[in-house]
Amino acid sequence: MVEKSDHAGLWPSLYDPFRTFGAKLADWLSPATEASGNDAAYDISMELPGVSENDIELTVENGVVTIRGEKKTHEEKKGDTWYFSERQYGAFRRSFRLPEDAEGAKAEARMKDGVLHVRVPKRVQEAPAAAQKIKVSRG
């Protein structure tokens, strides 16, 4: 953990604008993700076009879902003149803290059309017992 210390004088620290640059860059390069929930489960959807199911690792530990993977390139083109390339390759890692009522051990994942869908069911909460009337007997 890095803590910022106050500097005396009028000169600001020259590296202050770059202090969180790595984290911001990692967020910018991370796959687009949506998280939602309903009465039955929490859902995480992550866009992973071009990533094989074999290149994805999903873990749940201490109430945190972590998705790791890598988009690999195997194609080499020779003789082409490149004007620009907007394609991204490389490893990624995203972590999501689960709410208290999530059952992480029962998480399920599936890939469909380049989107990873992770479903984490909610714990079934028992309905409170109905009030019972107790007869008071004499003596």
Side-chain angles (χ1 to χ4, degrees):
M1 185 167 142
V2 178
E3 295 182 13
K4 183 176 179 181
S5 59
D6 293 325
H7 298 284
L10 298 174
W11 295 99
S13 175
L14 295 176
Y15 62 87
D16 276 350
F18 303 103
R19 182 180 298 274
T20 59
F21 180 73
K24 289 179 183 176
L25 180 62
D27 288 343
W28 183 66
L29 295 175
S30 294
T33 306
E34 292 179 338
S36 63
N38 57 33
D39 292 339
Y42 296 101
D43 295 302
I44 300 169
S45 298
M46 182 179 288
E47 292 181 0
L48 298 174
V51 178
S52 168
E53 293 89 354
N54 297 330
D55 293 329
I56 299 171
E57 177 184 327
L58 177 75
T59 59
V60 180
E61 183 177 6
N62 296 327
V64 177
V65 173
T66 302
I67 303 169
R68 290 182 184 92
E70 185 172 1
K71 185 174 181 181
K72 299 177 181 176
T73 177
H74 298 288
E75 188 174 332
E76 182 178 324
K77 292 184 178 182
K78 293 183 180 181
D80 289 343
T81 301
W82 289 91
Y83 292 102
F84 68 92
S85 177
E86 295 178 346
R87 300 183 71 187
Q88 297 177 0
Y89 298 97
F92 62 88
R93 179 179 154 231
R94 296 285 309 263
S95 294
F96 306 90
R97 179 159 303 281
L98 294 172
E100 292 291 324
D101 63 343
E103 294 229 38
K106 294 183 179 179
E108 300 173 343
R110 64 182 173 86
M111 279 285 278
K112 182 178 180 187
D113 298 330
V115 179
L116 175 68
H117 299 275
V118 179
R119 180 177 167 82
V120 183
K122 291 183 177 181
R123 284 190 186 90
V124 177
Q125 295 183 359
E126 296 179 14
Q132 294 179 342
K133 194 168 192 172
I134 300 172
K135 185 177 179 182
V136 178
S137 61
R138 194 166 205 183

Coordinates of all heavy atoms in Angstrom, one line a residue, residues 60-122:
V60 N -13.3 -18.8 -6.7 CA -14.0 -18.2 -5.6 C -13.3 -18.5 -4.3 O -13.1 -19.6 -4.0 CB -15.5 -18.7 -5.5 CG1 -16.2 -17.9 -4.4 CG2 -16.2 -18.5 -6.9
E61 N -12.8 -17.4 -3.7 CA -12.1 -17.6 -2.4 C -12.4 -16.4 -1.5 O -12.3 -15.3 -1.9 CB -10.6 -17.7 -2.7 CG -9.8 -17.9 -1.5 CD -8.3 -18.1 -1.8 OE1 -7.9 -17.8 -3.0 OE2 -7.5 -18.4 -0.9
N62 N -12.8 -16.8 -0.2 CA -13.0 -15.7 0.8 C -14.0 -14.7 0.3 O -13.9 -13.5 0.5 CB -11.7 -15.1 1.2 CG -10.8 -16.0 1.9 OD1 -11.2 -17.0 2.6 ND2 -9.5 -15.8 1.7
G63 N -15.1 -15.1 -0.4 CA -16.1 -14.2 -0.8 C -15.8 -13.3 -2.0 O -16.4 -12.3 -2.3
V64 N -14.7 -13.7 -2.8 CA -14.3 -12.9 -3.9 C -14.2 -13.9 -5.1 O -13.6 -14.9 -5.1 CB -12.9 -12.3 -3.7 CG1 -12.4 -11.6 -4.9 CG2 -12.9 -11.4 -2.5
V65 N -14.9 -13.5 -6.2 CA -14.8 -14.2 -7.5 C -13.7 -13.5 -8.3 O -13.7 -12.3 -8.5 CB -16.2 -14.0 -8.3 CG1 -16.0 -14.6 -9.7 CG2 -17.3 -14.7 -7.5
T66 N -12.8 -14.3 -8.8 CA -11.7 -13.8 -9.6 C -11.7 -14.5 -10.9 O -11.8 -15.8 -11.0 CB -10.3 -14.1 -8.9 OG1 -10.3 -13.4 -7.6 CG2 -9.2 -13.5 -9.8
I67 N -11.6 -13.8 -12.0 CA -11.6 -14.3 -13.4 C -10.3 -13.9 -14.0 O -9.9 -12.7 -14.0 CB -12.8 -13.7 -14.2 CG1 -14.1 -14.0 -13.5 CG2 -12.7 -14.3 -15.6 CD1 -15.3 -13.3 -14.1
R68 N -9.5 -14.9 -14.4 CA -8.2 -14.7 -15.0 C -8.3 -15.3 -16.4 O -8.9 -16.3 -16.6 CB -7.1 -15.4 -14.2 CG -6.8 -14.8 -12.9 CD -5.6 -15.5 -12.3 NE -5.4 -15.0 -10.9 CZ -5.9 -15.5 -9.8 NH1 -6.7 -16.5 -9.9 NH2 -5.6 -15.0 -8.7
G69 N -7.5 -14.8 -17.3 CA -7.5 -15.3 -18.6 C -6.4 -14.7 -19.5 O -5.7 -13.8 -19.1
E70 N -6.4 -15.1 -20.7 CA -5.4 -14.6 -21.7 C -6.0 -14.7 -23.1 O -6.5 -15.8 -23.4 CB -4.1 -15.3 -21.6 CG -3.0 -14.6 -22.4 CD -1.6 -15.2 -22.2 OE1 -1.5 -16.1 -21.4 OE2 -0.7 -14.8 -22.8
K71 N -5.9 -13.6 -23.8 CA -6.2 -13.6 -25.2 C -4.9 -13.8 -26.0 O -4.0 -12.9 -25.9 CB -6.9 -12.3 -25.6 CG -7.4 -12.4 -27.0 CD -8.2 -11.1 -27.3 CE -8.7 -11.2 -28.8 NZ -9.5 -10.0 -29.1
K72 N -4.8 -14.9 -26.7 CA -3.6 -15.2 -27.4 C -3.7 -14.9 -28.9 O -4.8 -15.0 -29.4 CB -3.2 -16.7 -27.1 CG -3.0 -17.0 -25.7 CD -2.7 -18.5 -25.5 CE -2.5 -18.8 -24.1 NZ -2.3 -20.2 -23.8
T73 N -2.6 -14.6 -29.5 CA -2.6 -14.5 -30.9 C -1.6 -15.5 -31.5 O -0.5 -15.7 -31.0 CB -2.2 -13.1 -31.4 OG1 -2.1 -13.1 -32.8 CG2 -0.8 -12.7 -30.8
H74 N -2.1 -16.3 -32.5 CA -1.3 -17.3 -33.1 C -1.0 -17.1 -34.5 O -0.2 -17.8 -35.2 CB -2.0 -18.7 -33.0 CG -2.2 -19.1 -31.6 ND1 -1.3 -19.6 -30.7 CD2 -3.4 -19.2 -30.8 CE1 -1.8 -19.9 -29.6 NE2 -3.1 -19.6 -29.6
E75 N -1.6 -16.0 -35.0 CA -1.5 -15.7 -36.5 C -0.4 -14.8 -36.8 O -0.2 -13.8 -36.1 CB -2.8 -15.2 -36.9 CG -2.9 -15.0 -38.4 CD -4.3 -14.5 -38.8 OE1 -5.3 -14.8 -38.1 OE2 -4.4 -13.9 -39.9
E76 N 0.4 -15.1 -37.7 CA 1.5 -14.1 -38.1 C 1.3 -13.8 -39.6 O 1.2 -14.7 -40.5 CB 2.9 -14.8 -37.9 CG 4.0 -13.9 -38.3 CD 5.4 -14.5 -38.0 OE1 5.5 -15.3 -37.1 OE2 6.3 -14.3 -38.8
K77 N 1.2 -12.5 -39.9 CA 1.0 -12.1 -41.3 C 2.3 -11.5 -41.8 O 2.8 -10.6 -41.1 CB -0.2 -11.1 -41.4 CG -1.5 -11.7 -41.1 CD -2.6 -10.7 -41.3 CE -4.0 -11.3 -41.0 NZ -5.1 -10.4 -41.3
K78 N 2.7 -11.9 -42.9 CA 3.9 -11.3 -43.5 C 3.5 -10.6 -44.8 O 2.6 -11.0 -45.5 CB 4.9 -12.4 -43.8 CG 5.5 -13.0 -42.6 CD 6.5 -14.0 -43.0 CE 7.1 -14.7 -41.7 NZ 8.1 -15.6 -41.9
G79 N 4.1 -9.5 -45.1 CA 3.9 -8.8 -46.3 C 2.7 -7.8 -46.3 O 2.6 -7.0 -47.2
D80 N 2.0 -7.8 -45.2 CA 0.9 -6.8 -45.0 C 1.5 -5.5 -44.5 O 2.4 -5.4 -43.7 CB -0.2 -7.3 -44.0 CG -1.0 -8.4 -44.6 OD1 -0.9 -8.6 -45.8 OD2 -1.6 -9.1 -43.8
T81 N 0.9 -4.4 -45.0 CA 1.2 -3.1 -44.5 C 0.1 -2.7 -43.5 O -1.1 -2.6 -43.9 CB 1.3 -2.1 -45.6 OG1 2.3 -2.5 -46.5 CG2 1.7 -0.7 -45.1
W82 N 0.5 -2.5 -42.3 CA -0.5 -2.1 -41.2 C -0.7 -0.6 -41.2 O 0.3 0.1 -41.0 CB -0.1 -2.7 -39.9 CG -0.2 -4.1 -39.8 CD1 0.8 -5.0 -40.1 CD2 -1.3 -4.9 -39.5 NE1 0.4 -6.3 -40.0 CE2 -1.0 -6.3 -39.5 CE3 -2.6 -4.6 -39.1 CZ2 -1.8 -7.3 -39.3 CZ3 -3.5 -5.6 -38.8 CH2 -3.1 -6.9 -38.9
Y83 N -1.9 -0.2 -41.2 CA -2.2 1.2 -41.0 C -2.6 1.5 -39.6 O -2.3 2.6 -39.1 CB -3.3 1.7 -42.0 CG -2.8 1.7 -43.4 CD1 -3.2 0.6 -44.2 CD2 -2.0 2.6 -43.9 CE1 -2.8 0.6 -45.5 CE2 -1.6 2.6 -45.2 CZ -2.0 1.6 -46.0 OH -1.5 1.5 -47.3
F84 N -3.3 0.6 -39.0 CA -3.6 0.7 -37.5 C -4.1 -0.6 -37.1 O -4.5 -1.5 -37.8 CB -4.7 1.8 -37.3 CG -6.0 1.5 -37.8 CD1 -7.0 0.8 -37.0 CD2 -6.4 1.8 -39.1 CE1 -8.2 0.5 -37.5 CE2 -7.6 1.5 -39.6 CZ -8.6 0.8 -38.8
S85 N -4.1 -0.8 -35.7 CA -4.6 -2.0 -35.1 C -5.2 -1.7 -33.8 O -4.5 -1.0 -33.0 CB -3.5 -3.1 -34.9 OG -4.0 -4.2 -34.2
E86 N -6.4 -2.0 -33.6 CA -7.1 -1.7 -32.3 C -7.4 -3.0 -31.5 O -8.0 -3.0 -30.5 CB -8.5 -1.0 -32.6 CG -8.3 0.3 -33.2 CD -9.6 1.0 -33.6 OE1 -10.6 0.3 -33.6 OE2 -9.6 2.2 -33.9
R87 N -6.8 -4.1 -31.9 CA -7.0 -5.4 -31.2 C -6.1 -5.5 -30.0 O -5.0 -5.0 -30.1 CB -6.8 -6.5 -32.2 CG -7.7 -6.5 -33.4 CD -7.5 -7.6 -34.3 NE -8.0 -8.8 -33.6 CZ -7.9 -10.0 -34.1 NH1 -7.3 -10.2 -35.3 NH2 -8.4 -11.1 -33.5
Q88 N -6.6 -6.1 -29.0 CA -5.9 -6.2 -27.7 C -5.6 -7.7 -27.5 O -6.4 -8.5 -27.7 CB -6.7 -5.7 -26.5 CG -6.9 -4.2 -26.6 CD -7.8 -3.7 -25.5 OE1 -8.2 -4.5 -24.6 NE2 -8.1 -2.4 -25.5
Y89 N -4.3 -7.9 -27.0 CA -3.9 -9.3 -26.6 C -3.3 -9.2 -25.3 O -2.7 -8.2 -24.9 CB -2.9 -9.8 -27.7 CG -3.5 -10.0 -29.0 CD1 -3.3 -9.0 -30.0 CD2 -4.3 -11.1 -29.4 CE1 -3.9 -9.1 -31.3 CE2 -4.8 -11.2 -30.6 CZ -4.6 -10.3 -31.6 OH -5.2 -10.4 -32.8
G90 N -3.3 -10.3 -24.6 CA -2.6 -10.4 -23.3 C -3.4 -10.9 -22.2 O -4.6 -11.3 -22.4
A91 N -2.9 -10.9 -21.0 CA -3.5 -11.5 -19.8 C -4.4 -10.4 -19.2 O -4.2 -9.2 -19.3 CB -2.5 -12.0 -18.9
F92 N -5.4 -10.9 -18.5 CA -6.3 -10.0 -17.7 C -6.7 -10.7 -16.4 O -6.6 -11.9 -16.3 CB -7.6 -9.6 -18.5 CG -8.4 -10.8 -18.9 CD1 -9.4 -11.3 -18.0 CD2 -8.2 -11.5 -20.1 CE1 -10.2 -12.4 -18.3 CE2 -9.0 -12.6 -20.4 CZ -10.0 -13.0 -19.5
R93 N -7.1 -9.9 -15.5 CA -7.6 -10.4 -14.2 C -8.6 -9.4 -13.6 O -8.3 -8.2 -13.5 CB -6.4 -10.6 -13.2 CG -6.9 -11.1 -11.9 CD -5.7 -11.3 -11.0 NE -6.2 -11.2 -9.6 CZ -5.7 -10.4 -8.7 NH1 -4.6 -9.7 -8.9 NH2 -6.2 -10.4 -7.5
R94 N -9.8 -9.9 -13.2 CA -10.8 -9.1 -12.6 C -11.3 -9.8 -11.4 O -11.5 -11.0 -11.4 CB -12.0 -8.8 -13.5 CG -11.7 -8.0 -14.8 CD -11.5 -6.5 -14.6 NE -12.5 -5.9 -13.9 CZ -13.6 -5.2 -14.4 NH1 -13.7 -5.1 -15.7 NH2 -14.4 -4.6 -13.6
S95 N -11.5 -9.1 -10.3 CA -12.0 -9.6 -9.0 C -13.3 -8.9 -8.6 O -13.4 -7.7 -8.8 CB -11.0 -9.6 -7.9 OG -9.9 -10.4 -8.2
F96 N -14.2 -9.6 -8.1 CA -15.5 -9.1 -7.6 C -15.8 -9.6 -6.2 O -15.9 -10.8 -6.0 CB -16.6 -9.4 -8.6 CG -16.3 -9.1 -10.0 CD1 -15.7 -10.0 -10.8 CD2 -16.7 -7.8 -10.5 CE1 -15.4 -9.7 -12.2 CE2 -16.4 -7.5 -11.8 CZ -15.7 -8.4 -12.7
R97 N -16.0 -8.7 -5.3 CA -16.4 -9.1 -3.9 C -17.9 -9.5 -3.9 O -18.7 -8.7 -4.4 CB -16.1 -8.0 -2.9 CG -16.5 -8.4 -1.5 CD -15.9 -7.6 -0.4 NE -14.4 -7.7 -0.4 CZ -13.7 -8.7 0.0 NH1 -14.3 -9.8 0.5 NH2 -12.4 -8.7 0.0
L98 N -18.2 -10.6 -3.4 CA -19.6 -11.1 -3.4 C -20.3 -10.6 -2.1 O -19.7 -10.5 -1.1 CB -19.7 -12.6 -3.4 CG -19.2 -13.3 -4.6 CD1 -19.1 -14.8 -4.4 CD2 -20.1 -13.0 -5.8
P99 N -21.6 -10.3 -2.2 CA -22.4 -10.0 -1.0 C -22.5 -11.1 -0.1 O -22.2 -12.3 -0.4 CB -23.8 -9.6 -1.6 CG -23.5 -9.3 -3.1 CD -22.4 -10.2 -3.5
E100 N -22.8 -10.8 1.2 CA -22.9 -11.9 2.2 C -23.9 -13.0 1.9 O -23.6 -14.1 2.3 CB -23.3 -11.2 3.5 CG -22.3 -10.3 4.1 CD -21.1 -11.0 4.6 OE1 -21.2 -12.1 5.1 OE2 -20.0 -10.4 4.4
D101 N -24.9 -12.7 1.1 CA -25.9 -13.8 0.9 C -25.6 -14.7 -0.3 O -26.4 -15.5 -0.7 CB -27.3 -13.2 0.8 CG -27.5 -12.3 -0.4 OD1 -26.4 -11.8 -0.9 OD2 -28.6 -12.0 -0.7
A102 N -24.4 -14.5 -0.9 CA -24.0 -15.2 -2.1 C -23.4 -16.6 -1.7 O -22.7 -16.7 -0.7 CB -23.0 -14.5 -3.0
E103 N -23.7 -17.6 -2.5 CA -23.2 -19.0 -2.3 C -22.1 -19.2 -3.3 O -22.3 -19.8 -4.4 CB -24.3 -20.0 -2.4 CG -25.3 -19.9 -1.4 CD -25.6 -21.3 -0.8 OE1 -24.6 -22.1 -0.6 OE2 -26.7 -21.5 -0.5
G104 N -20.9 -18.7 -3.0 CA -19.8 -18.8 -4.0 C -19.4 -20.2 -4.4 O -19.0 -20.4 -5.5
A105 N -19.6 -21.1 -3.5 CA -19.2 -22.5 -3.8 C -20.1 -23.1 -4.8 O -19.8 -24.1 -5.5 CB -19.3 -23.4 -2.5
K106 N -21.2 -22.5 -5.1 CA -22.2 -23.0 -6.1 C -22.2 -22.2 -7.4 O -23.1 -22.3 -8.2 CB -23.6 -23.1 -5.5 CG -23.7 -24.0 -4.4 CD -25.2 -24.1 -3.9 CE -25.3 -25.1 -2.8 NZ -26.7 -25.1 -2.3
A107 N -21.1 -21.4 -7.6 CA -21.0 -20.6 -8.8 C -20.9 -21.5 -10.1 O -20.3 -22.5 -10.0 CB -19.8 -19.7 -8.7
E108 N -21.5 -21.0 -11.1 CA -21.5 -21.7 -12.4 C -21.1 -20.7 -13.5 O -21.3 -19.5 -13.4 CB -22.9 -22.2 -12.8 CG -23.5 -23.2 -11.8 CD -24.9 -23.5 -12.1 OE1 -25.5 -22.8 -12.9 OE2 -25.4 -24.5 -11.6
A109 N -20.4 -21.2 -14.5 CA -19.9 -20.3 -15.6 C -20.2 -21.0 -17.0 O -20.0 -22.2 -17.1 CB -18.5 -19.9 -15.4
R110 N -20.5 -20.1 -18.0 CA -20.6 -20.7 -19.3 C -20.2 -19.6 -20.3 O -20.3 -18.4 -20.0 CB -22.0 -21.1 -19.6 CG -23.1 -20.1 -19.6 CD -24.5 -20.6 -19.8 NE -25.5 -19.6 -19.6 CZ -25.8 -18.7 -20.5 NH1 -25.4 -18.7 -21.7 NH2 -26.7 -17.8 -20.2
M111 N -19.7 -20.0 -21.5 CA -19.3 -19.0 -22.5 C -20.3 -19.2 -23.6 O -20.7 -20.3 -24.0 CB -18.0 -19.4 -23.1 CG -16.8 -18.9 -22.3 SD -16.5 -17.2 -22.5 CE -15.6 -17.1 -24.0
K112 N -20.8 -18.0 -24.1 CA -21.7 -18.0 -25.3 C -21.4 -16.8 -26.1 O -21.5 -15.6 -25.6 CB -23.2 -18.0 -24.8 CG -24.2 -18.1 -26.0 CD -25.6 -18.1 -25.5 CE -26.5 -18.2 -26.7 NZ -27.9 -18.1 -26.3
D113 N -21.1 -17.0 -27.4 CA -20.9 -15.9 -28.3 C -19.9 -14.9 -27.8 O -20.1 -13.6 -27.9 CB -22.2 -15.2 -28.6 CG -23.3 -16.1 -29.3 OD1 -22.8 -17.0 -30.0 OD2 -24.5 -15.9 -29.0
G114 N -18.8 -15.4 -27.2 CA -17.7 -14.5 -26.8 C -18.0 -13.7 -25.5 O -17.3 -12.8 -25.1
V115 N -19.0 -14.2 -24.8 CA -19.3 -13.5 -23.5 C -19.3 -14.6 -22.4 O -20.0 -15.6 -22.5 CB -20.7 -12.8 -23.5 CG1 -21.0 -12.2 -22.2 CG2 -20.7 -11.8 -24.6
L116 N -18.6 -14.4 -21.3 CA -18.5 -15.3 -20.2 C -19.7 -14.9 -19.3 O -19.8 -13.7 -18.9 CB -17.2 -15.2 -19.5 CG -17.1 -16.0 -18.2 CD1 -17.1 -17.5 -18.5 CD2 -15.8 -15.6 -17.4
H117 N -20.5 -15.8 -18.9 CA -21.6 -15.6 -17.9 C -21.3 -16.4 -16.7 O -21.2 -17.6 -16.7 CB -22.9 -16.1 -18.5 CG -23.3 -15.3 -19.8 ND1 -23.9 -14.1 -19.8 CD2 -23.1 -15.7 -21.1 CE1 -24.1 -13.7 -21.1 NE2 -23.6 -14.7 -21.9
V118 N -21.2 -15.7 -15.6 CA -21.0 -16.3 -14.3 C -22.3 -16.1 -13.4 O -22.7 -14.9 -13.3 CB -19.8 -15.7 -13.5 CG1 -19.6 -16.4 -12.2 CG2 -18.5 -15.8 -14.4
R119 N -22.8 -17.1 -12.9 CA -24.0 -17.1 -12.0 C -23.6 -17.6 -10.6 O -23.2 -18.7 -10.5 CB -25.1 -17.9 -12.7 CG -26.4 -17.9 -11.9 CD -27.5 -18.7 -12.7 NE -28.6 -19.0 -11.9 CZ -29.6 -18.1 -11.7 NH1 -29.6 -16.9 -12.2 NH2 -30.6 -18.5 -10.9
V120 N -23.9 -16.8 -9.6 CA -23.7 -17.1 -8.2 C -25.0 -17.1 -7.5 O -25.6 -16.0 -7.3 CB -22.7 -16.2 -7.6 CG1 -22.4 -16.6 -6.1 CG2 -21.4 -16.1 -8.4
P121 N -25.5 -18.3 -7.1 CA -26.9 -18.3 -6.5 C -26.8 -17.6 -5.1 O -25.8 -17.6 -4.4 CB -27.2 -19.7 -6.4 CG -25.9 -20.5 -6.5 CD -25.0 -19.6 -7.3
K122 N -28.0 -17.1 -4.7 CA -28.1 -16.6 -3.3 C -28.5 -17.7 -2.4 O -29.2 -18.6 -2.8 CB -29.2 -15.5 -3.3 CG -28.8 -14.2 -4.1 CD -29.9 -13.2 -3.9 CE -29.5 -11.9 -4.6 NZ -30.5 -10.8 -4.5

